[in-house]
Amino acid sequence: MRRPLLLIAIFSLGIRFNLANATTIHVPADQPTIQAGIECSWFAPHQTIPVGYHPTGASAGDLNGDSDIDFAVANEGDGTISIIMNDGSNAFSVATTLAVGTTPTGTAMADFDRDGDLDIAVTNHGSGSITLLTNDGSGNFATTQLAAGANPYSPLWYDLDGDSLPELIFVNRWSGSVGVYENSPSGLLSPFIACSVGNGAIDAAVGDFDRDGWPDVAVANFDASQIAILRNSSGTLSLLATYAAPSNPSSITEADFDGDSILDLAVANNGASNVTILKGTGDCNFTYVDTLTAGLQVGGLAAGDIDKDGDIDLVCADFDMNTRTWTNVGGTLVNPPTTCDYGNTPGHILIDWDKDGDLDLAAALYDANSFTIRTNTLPCSCPCPCLADPQCDSATDVLDVVGTVNVDFRGVPPVSDPRCPRQRTDVDCSSVTDILDVVKMVDVAFRGGDPAVKFCNPCS
């Protein structure tokens, strides 16, 4: 089983575990779904960089203080990590390759020592260790080896105890546990604290699932085919529940998919070739929502608003050379996904590396021994179904012109649609309805003007 890629989010003593009062909840294996997707060309190739042998887990952040996004890639096959630097013009190259441990699979960045620059943790499942790379601020690293038990995966940095210092969290597959290195002003405290969560713990996600201000932990247990939920109560982590997954969950991520301000979970099920969605209830519990069609040996998940419509979309990797993307329409992930051949990757990073305001994609290519960086070329979109159509009857006509005149000259309040940044009558996107909007509406309604030319893109 190859390690799925981690998409890293950085958040920031006395971490304790309590295993009492845990419950088990069944999750159905399948449900009917609906159809749609995006175009593969929307993630256009930018650059592919040779790295080490069989790259797997990667993370992104500014490693040398120049405000540009760099990458760290674990190379499973040769026990190294490749540090890929951005030269400031979005040209990337490997600046250094560092030896870490045997079979490194995951990386995570955070300023764990609070000196103003990002450091890196690398899980080495073959040597049962974590390599801590401490950054000097210029992208040069000192190496420290930490014990991590049997087969560590999925490094994450989160402040679990509210002291503004991020703890180092990881999972151990063979011991079926979550490990935590507490952080303190004097550094990470040894030994790490371990909590049993289930057989085959392979990936983890962190989020405030009960909205109490303390980050909780969700764990994918590959061998037990279950999801374990650890609740954080004022710095004490307790095993609250386990949820049966369809078969061999290999990756897990958290996001508010349905837009209710409560975190949900997406789980990639390697053995079932699907992704299950669990809706958060706001009290650290979850209910089953949907099963999404995926591919063989489904792996890493990444969530983000790819099309800038205000909804969280989902990307999944599998080992039959496919990247699958589910667009989110009004809180529903649309199935089946768009399937694109971007190469054999364990997973993806969604990050705006070119700083143009939308999420781009980057991924380690396992068989090609390289790292691909792609740019988001999706046409800017958002939910504005009634722009230039204040009557919202799917046509710009005399009633819409009258409606625009009423807003501009007679003080009638303008109307906006949920999550649309423009008024229905602001057809030139000037942020106000005025005479220019009336003129454009008249051109289209009475003179045969082309709406694509006369009306603006409301999301730009």
Side-chain angles (χ1 to χ4, degrees):
M1 166 61 194
R2 298 163 180 163
R3 168 72 182 99
L5 179 69
L6 299 175
L7 176 66
I8 302 305
I10 300 170
F11 283 75
S12 304
L13 282 151
I15 306 301
R16 299 175 298 251
F17 292 106
N18 183 349
L19 304 184
N21 303 318
T23 59
T24 299
I25 302 168
H26 177 67
V27 179
D30 203 2
Q31 286 288 330
T33 48
I34 56 178
Q35 296 190 15
I38 68 167
E39 296 179 16
C40 295
S41 60
W42 283 347
F43 281 120
H46 173 74
Q47 188 177 351
T48 299
I49 302 101
V51 290
Y53 186 55
H54 284 174
T56 54
S59 54
D62 178 12
L63 291 173
N64 58 357
D66 63 357
S67 299
D68 294 312
I69 295 297
D70 310 302
F71 296 95
V73 184
N75 302 305
E76 181 183 66
D78 59 19
T80 65
I81 182 172
S82 298
I83 305 299
I84 299 174
M85 291 294 190
N86 186 335
D87 72 354
S89 66
N90 292 328
F92 296 87
S93 62
V94 174
T96 187
T97 299
L98 302 171
V100 284
T102 304
T103 325
T105 53
T107 72
M109 297 182 188
D111 182 13
F112 89 94
D113 53 6
R114 312 304 291 173
D115 65 352
D117 48 58
L118 293 177
D119 310 296
I120 306 172
V122 185
T123 47
N124 307 303
H125 84 81
S127 52
S129 65
I130 293 176
T131 303
L132 185 62
L133 302 173
T134 305
N135 194 345
D136 69 357
S138 299
N140 301 307
F141 298 91
T143 300
T144 303
Q145 298 294 337
L146 303 174
N151 296 97
Y153 289 88
S154 184
L156 295 164
W157 294 98
Y158 269 84
D159 177 15
L160 294 177
D161 52 18
D163 65 354
S164 299
L165 296 171
E167 273 68 51
L168 175 56
I169 308 164
F170 56 98
V171 298
N172 292 111
R173 181 174 181 185
W174 297 134
S175 61
S177 64
V178 170
V180 177
Y181 270 101
E182 297 180 69
N183 204 347
S184 74
S186 59
L188 297 180
L189 301 179
S190 293
F192 67 88
I193 301 169
C195 172
S196 295
V197 291
N199 192 19
I202 198 168
D203 198 14
V206 179
D208 186 6
F209 301 130
D210 55 5
R211 300 181 293 174
D212 65 352
W214 297 90
D216 311 297
V217 183
V219 182
N221 295 325
F222 184 89
D223 299 321
S225 292
Q226 64 181 202
I227 305 303
I229 306 298
L230 292 169
R231 169 180 268 163
N232 186 344
S233 179
S234 302
T236 299
L237 289 172
S238 300
L239 181 60
L240 176 68
T242 58
Y243 293 77
S247 181
N248 303 123
S250 54
S251 181
I252 187 169
T253 193
E254 83 290 345
D256 178 16
F257 292 111
D258 55 9
D260 63 356
S261 300
I262 298 173
L263 287 175
D264 311 303
L265 293 174
V267 181
N269 300 293
N270 185 279
S273 299
N274 62 27
V275 174
T276 48
I277 306 298
L278 298 175
K279 174 180 171 56
T281 59
D283 58 359
C284 229
N285 290 297
F286 298 85
T287 58
Y288 175 77
V289 176
D290 202 0
T291 294
L292 305 174
T293 305
L296 297 175
Q297 288 189 285
V298 60
L301 295 169
D305 184 8
I306 297 170
D307 52 9
K308 296 179 65 176
D309 66 351
D311 297 315
I312 302 299
D313 310 302
L314 186 65
V315 178
C316 182
D318 59 45
F319 277 95
D320 59 2
M321 306 293 287
N322 288 318
T323 293
R324 301 174 195 273
T325 304
W326 293 269
T327 50
N328 190 330
V329 179
T332 299
L333 291 165
V334 179
N335 200 47
T338 296
T339 301
C340 305
D341 183 358
Y342 295 150
N344 186 0
T345 176
H348 307 86
I349 297 172
L350 293 176
I351 191 166
D352 183 16
W353 58 261
D354 55 8
K355 296 185 285 190
D356 65 351
D358 52 37
L359 290 175
D360 308 300
L361 182 143
L365 301 181
Y366 188 86
D367 292 332
N369 301 323
S370 61
F371 189 76
T372 184
I373 299 172
R374 291 176 171 265
T375 185
N376 188 337
T377 62
L378 274 69
C380 190
S381 63
C382 53
C384 296
C386 301
L387 183 76
D389 182 18
Q391 301 297 314
C392 208
D393 57 3
S394 301
T396 299
D397 53 25
V398 64
L399 294 178
D400 298 308
V401 174
V402 170
T404 306
V405 169
N406 287 339
V407 171
D408 188 20
F409 295 103
R410 296 177 180 172
V412 175
V415 176
S416 297
D417 295 300
R419 294 183 289 110
C420 178
R422 306 292 180 183
Q423 302 166 6
R424 290 182 179 181
T425 49
D426 180 19
V427 300
D428 63 357
C429 297
S430 64
S431 300
V432 64
T433 299
D434 55 23
I435 186 62
L436 295 178
D437 299 302
V438 175
V439 170
K440 289 177 180 290
M441 294 280 279
V442 168
D443 282 344
V444 172
F446 300 106
R447 297 174 181 170
D450 183 355
V453 175
K454 296 295 182 180
F455 301 149
C456 64
N457 180 343
C459 313
S460 59

